[in-house]
Amino acid sequence: MFQAIADAGSLSAAARILGSSPPAVSRRLAELEQRLGVKLADRSARRFRLTDEGTTYLEQGRRILEQLRDLETEVASRGGTARGRLRVGAPADLGRRRIAPLLADFAKRHQGLEVHLVLSDAGLEVGEDGLDVALRVGFPDDPAVLTRKLLTGRRIVCAAPSYLAKHGVPNCPEDLLHHECLCLARRYSLQNRWRFIDATGPKVVQVQGTLTSSDGEVLRAWALEGRGLSLEAEWDIADDVRDGRLVACLDGLCAETIELYATYLPSKPIPVSIRLFVDEAVAAFRGQAA
């Protein structure tokens, strides 16, 4: 409780995090101060500041809580049931269609587990974004992060039949320069350099367009509406191509191969919730190429 108050910076913000009310949190803090016999924070309507005693209590208390969590993780890892909280991040479209039901079934089998799914195409990182497991396209840059490969596929250029009827079908990568291209905005860059391999070797085309988004589902929706060409993961649009809602373009050319990884931070032991979920994700995608 005290850690939540200190991190939030106010009683009202801490109450929201704890699912309580400001009066209840204030009362618990006062009871804690009375039991310890010291004032832990100077608080008023305009400011909240820890006293020296409060800072000491927080810093040493954090270490004790971390040791307790490590102890519980070590003991729980000897069993086969996941407990506690599991935060998983995944690309938006794949997360909605494949990871969300996988996580729901996983939580149903492990009654002591609370799961939280974060969806983003901006490029989630397991440590930086506070995740226990991050499902990400491409091998992570951080060599300390542990990885398990889930899926191998490719990106393909696609568009709605209505767009191609109006603007024509691109026959080579250079034709993309004359088309409206829908681009994904990652955390630090715009993904507007599309890569291909033809008879002459690797080729990169820097495309242009008026519509960009950090959400791949938005790009797919725009493509379905006939607003432009999109470079999509084949596993995200397989049903759309099969049912004729989207048409794969430049299909004779190989766009870049992509791989989906489950990433998580090293620890001894690996928390049972992470270990079991990653094993289940690997099994769920086993043998699939797209």
Side-chain angles (χ1 to χ4, degrees):
M1 181 273 296
F2 185 67
Q3 179 177 255
I5 295 173
D7 290 345
S10 73
L11 296 179
S12 57
R16 289 193 295 270
I17 294 171
L18 296 169
S20 184
S21 66
V25 172
S26 179
R27 183 172 61 254
R28 289 180 62 191
L29 177 58
E31 291 171 352
L32 177 61
E33 290 176 325
Q34 183 178 7
R35 179 167 62 84
L36 296 175
V38 296
K39 194 171 185 179
L40 297 175
D42 292 321
R43 51 198 183 274
S44 66
R46 295 188 176 182
R47 70 172 190 166
F48 180 94
R49 185 181 63 83
L50 296 181
T51 63
D52 290 342
E53 293 79 7
T55 299
T56 299
Y57 187 69
L58 176 66
E59 290 175 352
Q60 297 191 29
R62 282 192 199 278
R63 288 197 290 270
I64 294 171
L65 288 176
E66 289 172 0
Q67 291 170 356
L68 179 60
R69 283 192 291 267
D70 291 344
L71 174 61
E72 291 181 344
T73 295
E74 181 178 353
V75 173
S77 68
R78 299 177 184 178
T81 301
R83 298 184 183 278
R85 191 178 191 196
L86 179 67
R87 288 176 54 86
V88 177
D93 197 16
L94 184 73
R96 291 186 185 96
R97 293 186 299 106
R98 301 291 299 275
I99 306 305
L102 183 68
L103 260 180
D105 290 342
F106 184 73
K108 185 176 181 180
R109 291 195 302 277
H110 299 273
Q111 294 296 315
L113 184 67
E114 176 188 347
V115 301
H116 181 67
L117 177 61
V118 178
L119 300 179
S120 174
D121 290 313
L124 293 170
E125 301 293 346
V126 65
E128 187 174 345
D129 294 302
L131 301 170
D132 299 304
V133 180
L135 307 185
R136 52 164 290 148
V137 175
F139 200 82
D141 296 327
D142 185 353
V145 172
L146 301 179
T147 64
R148 297 278 299 277
K149 186 163 70 172
L150 301 181
L151 194 58
T152 299
R154 61 175 183 149
R155 286 193 174 99
I156 59 175
V157 177
C158 61
S162 60
Y163 176 87
L164 298 175
K166 185 175 181 180
H167 299 281
V169 179
N171 296 309
C172 63
E174 290 78 9
D175 287 349
L176 298 176
L177 298 174
H178 309 293
H179 282 269
E180 175 73 14
C181 294
L182 310 169
C183 294
L184 180 68
R186 298 295 297 273
R187 179 172 301 188
Y188 303 114
S189 63
L190 181 65
Q191 306 295 298
N192 63 344
R193 293 172 59 84
W194 294 3
R195 294 169 175 81
F196 302 88
I197 298 177
D198 61 15
T200 63
K203 185 170 295 185
V204 176
V205 178
Q206 186 163 333
V207 300
Q208 300 181 56
T210 58
L211 296 175
T212 65
S213 176
S214 61
D215 189 332
E217 178 65 15
V218 171
L219 297 181
R220 175 173 164 268
W222 282 339
L224 289 167
E225 293 169 3
R227 299 184 183 275
L229 294 161
S230 186
L231 184 63
E232 297 280 349
E234 194 169 15
W235 57 61
D236 285 338
I237 61 165
D239 292 345
D240 296 321
V241 172
R242 183 196 63 211
D243 297 336
R245 292 185 293 270
L246 291 174
V247 177
C249 304
L250 304 175
D251 206 26
L253 303 176
C254 179
E256 62 181 331
T257 298
I258 55 175
E259 295 173 325
L260 181 71
Y261 290 91
T263 66
Y264 49 101
L265 295 175
S267 63
K268 293 183 179 181
I270 299 297
V272 66
S273 58
I274 295 177
R275 175 172 54 82
L276 292 179
F277 174 72
V278 171
D279 286 346
E280 188 156 320
V282 170
F285 287 103
R286 183 175 292 124
Q288 300 181 35

